[in-house]
Amino acid sequence: MADLDGIKVEKNYHLDKPFATGGNFHVKGAANLDWGMKKRLTNIFNPKSGNTVMFAFDHGYFMGSVSGLERLDLLIPQLIDHVDVLMSTRGALRSSVKPGFRKGLALRVSSGSSMLNDDLSHEVVAMDIEDAIRMDADCMAVQCFIGADGQLSSIENLSRVINAGNRYGIPSMGVVAVGKNMERTAQYFKLATRILAELGAHIVKTYYCDDFEEVAAACPVPIVVAGGKKLPEKEALEMAYNSIKGGAAGVDMGRNIFQSYHPAEMADAVGKIVHEKFSAKEALEYYTERTKG
Ligand code: R5P
C-alpha cells in the first residue's frame, strides 16, 4: 500500500498572489477568448477598474412585482445613468426599457418556478439564443442550484446556454442560487462557484460570506456579488466594500438599490466603492451628503 507520508492535503489559495493568466485583458480568465466575447465582457466590466455595478431587477421572473419594482417603466429611467449593467428578463426589457440605453445587458434566460413552489430548483432554459442575439445581450444568466434537487437540470441548462453562447460570442453568467435550507458558507460557495466556472461560465454570481477571499481566489473567472435582502445602507455598503476587497469584480445588486429611499444615490455610492476604491465609510458619507435635506 502506498505510503501516505508527504502527500499534500492542506489547501493553499495563495491569497498574496494575483491571478496569473490575465494576459493584457482586464477580465479574469478571459484572456484567451474571442474578440466578440471580449467586447461584450468589456461592456460589462469597466476597463479602468476591471469591475462592474450590475443592477438586478429580474426578481419578477419568480417573485412577481416585489416591493420597489412595481413600475419598471418609472424606476429604470432613474437608474440607467447610475449603473454599468442592467440585469433583467426579456419581458421587462421589451416592455419597460427604451432600447437606446448604452449600458451592458445581462439577460436572465432560465426560469421555471414561482414563490408558490416549495422547491425552486427545477428550471428550464426559457429563451432561445436567437432572442438573446436580437436583444444584443452582453451575457446570459442561468440560475444554478448546486446540491439541490434540481442540480442536474441546472447544470444541463447552464451547459446548453454556454454552448449556444460560445457559438455566437455571448458570455454566460452562472448564478449560484441558495435555497431556504441551504448553507451560506465559504465551503459551499467555493464548491458551487468552482463548478460553474469549470462548466464554462464566464462570470459567476454568488453571495458574500466569511472567508470570501478564498472563494474568489479559487474561482478562475470574475465573481459578482448579489446584494440579497434589503439591509441598512451602511451594511449594504460594507458588504460591497468587503466583496471588492475580497476579490469580487463587482456587485449584482437589486433590493439594496431599488428598495432604498434614494436608489440613484445608493447606486452611485456603490459605484464609488466598486470603481473608485472608496471605503465603506467614505461611500456612506457620500450617500449621506447627497441625500440629506
Ligand atoms: C436572483 O435570483 C435574483 O434574480 C436577483 O438577480 C438577485 O437576487 C440579485 O438581487 P438582490 O440583490 O435583490 O438579491
Side-chain angles (χ1 to χ4, degrees):
M1 193 171 170
D3 186 351
L4 292 178
D5 283 354
I7 292 180
K8 185 176 176 183
V9 290
E10 77 280 9
K11 293 188 176 175
N12 186 346
Y13 296 95
H14 298 283
L15 298 179
D16 56 331
K17 294 181 184 153
F19 188 67
T21 44
N24 61 358
F25 193 57
H26 63 287
V27 180
K28 187 179 185 183
N32 301 321
L33 297 180
D34 180 65
W35 192 92
M37 282 276 189
K38 286 181 170 171
K39 179 176 187 295
R40 292 184 179 90
L41 287 169
T42 301
N43 288 343
I44 295 171
F45 295 99
N46 182 307
K48 283 189 188 148
S49 66
N51 294 338
T52 188
V53 178
M54 284 191 190
F55 173 54
F57 58 99
D58 59 329
H59 305 58
Y61 99 96
F62 76 106
M63 296 170 84
S65 60
V66 301
S67 176
L69 293 184
E70 299 88 343
R71 289 287 302 269
L72 296 173
D73 57 315
L74 303 179
L75 176 74
I76 305 307
Q78 293 176 36
L79 284 170
I80 280 183
D81 290 342
H82 302 269
V83 299
D84 302 306
V85 178
L86 299 183
M87 181 181 180
S88 173
T89 61
R90 64 177 168 183
L93 276 170
R94 280 208 171 96
S95 61
S96 308
V97 182
K98 289 185 178 171
F101 74 91
R102 296 183 176 278
K103 298 289 172 140
L105 171 57
L107 259 190
R108 169 166 292 284
V109 301
S110 67
S111 73
S113 52
S114 78
M115 285 184 74
L116 300 178
N117 302 121
D118 285 333
D119 181 358
L120 302 176
S121 72
H122 297 277
E123 292 202 336
V124 296
V125 176
M127 215 175 138
D128 291 338
I129 183 71
E130 288 79 7
D131 214 19
I133 295 168
R134 270 191 289 275
M135 298 189 79
D136 203 15
D138 292 302
C139 77
M140 298 177 288
V142 177
Q143 202 81 354
C144 295
F145 298 83
I146 301 301
D149 199 45
Q151 174 177 297
L152 179 60
S153 55
S154 283
I155 288 178
E156 184 186 3
N157 294 342
L158 180 64
S159 300
R160 284 180 52 203
V161 168
I162 291 169
N163 288 334
N166 284 350
R167 283 200 294 279
Y168 298 102
I170 303 181
S172 299
M173 179 163 75
V175 180
V176 176
V178 181
K180 286 179 200 154
N181 301 318
M182 290 165 74
E183 55 174 322
R184 294 181 177 228
T185 62
Q187 186 181 15
Y188 174 72
F189 289 132
K190 270 185 254 185
L191 172 75
T193 57
R194 184 64 172 261
I195 287 173
L196 304 195
E198 298 226 10
L199 288 171
H202 305 90
I203 308 167
V204 172
K205 171 175 168 177
T206 191
Y207 291 86
Y208 182 75
C209 61
D210 290 342
D211 297 320
F212 179 79
E213 298 77 11
E214 294 183 356
V215 180
C219 183
V221 298
I223 286 183
V224 291
V225 170
K229 68 179 183 183
K230 177 74 176 77
L231 301 167
E233 275 74 8
K234 179 175 182 290
E235 289 174 37
L237 292 170
E238 283 168 354
M239 182 178 63
Y241 174 76
N242 289 332
S243 300
I244 298 300
K245 186 166 162 253
V251 297
D252 187 5
M253 199 173 258
R255 286 163 286 181
N256 278 292
I257 292 176
F258 66 72
Q259 290 182 345
S260 168
Y261 282 113
H262 305 283
E265 289 80 1
M266 185 59 184
D268 283 343
V270 172
K272 292 286 178 189
I273 292 169
V274 168
H275 294 304
E276 298 182 33
K277 297 187 179 351
F278 271 38
S279 66
K281 184 168 175 286
E282 289 169 329
L284 183 63
E285 285 166 4
Y286 175 87
Y287 173 82
T288 307
E289 181 64 28
R290 294 191 68 206
T291 55
K292 71 182 179 193

